[in-house]
Amino acid sequence: MTENEISSIVIGLAIEIHKKLGPGLLENAYQECLFYKIKQRGLFIEKEKAMPLIFEDVKLDCGYRIDLLVENKFIIEIKSVESLTVNHLAQTLTYLKLGNYKLGLIINFNEVLVKNGIRRVFNNL
C-alpha cells in the first residue's frame, strides 16, 4: 500500500471520528480513536513510536515520539489546538527526516470541519 493510499484511508477515518466526537477533546482521545479505527481496517499501526536521533553513529533518545506510525512508513501527528503553527510543521518534518519517511499528516481535530485542519507534509528525501 502506498503512502497516498494510506493517507486517503486516514483522512476518511479522521472525518468519521470527528463527525461522531466533534472538536474540543484532548489530543489523546482522538489519537486512541484513530489508532482503533486504523487497526480495525487491518493496517499495521504503532502509537507513541520512539524516534531516536542518530548522531555520530550513536543513537540518542531525545524524547521524540511519533503519535501514530502506519505500515512503518506513514506518520500521523494529532493536534487539538486553536490553529496549526509552523512549530507543528517543523515537528512533523523532523519526524519525517529522522525516520526517512516520505509523507505524513498533521490532523487538528479542534476545527468545526476537520478537513480544514488536515495538512499533508512531505519529506523531499
Side-chain angles (χ1 to χ4, degrees), residues 4 6 23 26 34 44 49 77 83 85 87 89-90:
N4 283 326
I6 295 169
L26 296 175
L34 195 52
F44 178 74
K49 172 81 173 173
E77 280 301 305
S83 62
T85 67
N87 291 338
L89 176 61

Coordinates of all heavy atoms in Angstrom, one line a residue, residues 4 6 23 26 34 44 49 77 83 85 87 89-90:
N4 N 0.1 7.4 -0.3 CA -1.1 8.2 -0.7 C -2.4 7.4 -0.4 O -3.4 7.9 0.0 CB -1.0 8.5 -2.2 CG -0.1 9.7 -2.5 OD1 0.0 10.6 -1.7 ND2 0.6 9.7 -3.6
I6 N -2.7 5.2 2.0 CA -2.8 5.2 3.5 C -3.4 6.6 3.9 O -4.3 6.7 4.7 CB -1.4 5.0 4.2 CG1 -0.9 3.6 3.9 CG2 -1.6 5.3 5.7 CD1 0.5 3.3 4.4
P23 N -15.2 18.8 17.8 CA -14.0 19.4 18.3 C -14.0 19.5 19.8 O -15.1 19.3 20.4 CB -14.0 20.8 17.6 CG -15.5 21.1 17.4 CD -16.1 19.7 17.2
L26 N -9.4 16.3 24.1 CA -7.9 16.3 24.2 C -7.4 15.5 23.1 O -8.0 14.5 22.6 CB -7.5 15.7 25.5 CG -7.8 16.5 26.8 CD1 -7.4 15.7 28.0 CD2 -7.2 17.8 26.8
L34 N -8.4 7.1 16.5 CA -7.8 6.9 15.2 C -7.0 5.6 15.2 O -7.0 4.8 14.2 CB -7.0 8.1 14.8 CG -6.6 8.2 13.3 CD1 -7.8 8.1 12.4 CD2 -5.9 9.5 13.1
F44 N -1.1 -2.2 9.9 CA -0.2 -2.2 11.0 C 0.0 -0.8 11.5 O 0.3 0.1 10.7 CB 1.2 -2.8 10.6 CG 2.2 -2.9 11.7 CD1 2.1 -3.8 12.7 CD2 3.2 -2.0 11.7 CE1 3.0 -3.8 13.7 CE2 4.1 -2.0 12.7 CZ 4.0 -2.9 13.7
K49 N 5.4 6.0 19.0 CA 6.7 5.4 18.5 C 7.9 6.3 18.8 O 8.0 7.4 18.3 CB 6.5 5.1 17.0 CG 7.7 4.6 16.3 CD 7.9 3.2 16.5 CE 9.1 2.7 15.6 NZ 9.4 1.3 15.9
E77 N 0.5 13.0 13.0 CA 0.6 13.8 14.2 C -0.8 14.4 14.5 O -1.4 15.0 13.7 CB 1.6 15.0 14.0 CG 3.0 14.5 14.2 CD 3.3 13.9 15.6 OE1 3.0 14.6 16.6 OE2 3.8 12.8 15.6
S83 N -5.1 26.7 16.3 CA -4.7 26.6 14.9 C -3.3 26.0 14.8 O -2.5 26.1 15.7 CB -4.7 28.0 14.3 OG -3.8 28.9 14.9
T85 N 0.5 25.7 13.7 CA 1.6 26.7 13.6 C 2.8 26.1 12.8 O 2.8 24.9 12.5 CB 2.1 27.1 15.0 OG1 2.7 26.0 15.6 CG2 0.9 27.6 15.8
N87 N 5.5 25.6 14.1 CA 6.2 24.6 15.0 C 5.6 23.2 14.8 O 6.4 22.2 14.9 CB 6.0 25.1 16.5 CG 6.8 26.3 16.8 OD1 7.8 26.6 16.2 ND2 6.4 27.0 17.9
L89 N 4.4 22.1 12.0 CA 5.0 21.6 10.8 C 6.5 21.2 11.0 O 6.9 20.1 10.5 CB 4.9 22.7 9.7 CG 5.6 22.5 8.4 CD1 4.9 21.3 7.7 CD2 5.5 23.7 7.5
A90 N 7.2 22.0 11.7 CA 8.6 21.6 12.0 C 8.8 20.3 12.7 O 9.6 19.5 12.4 CB 9.3 22.8 12.8

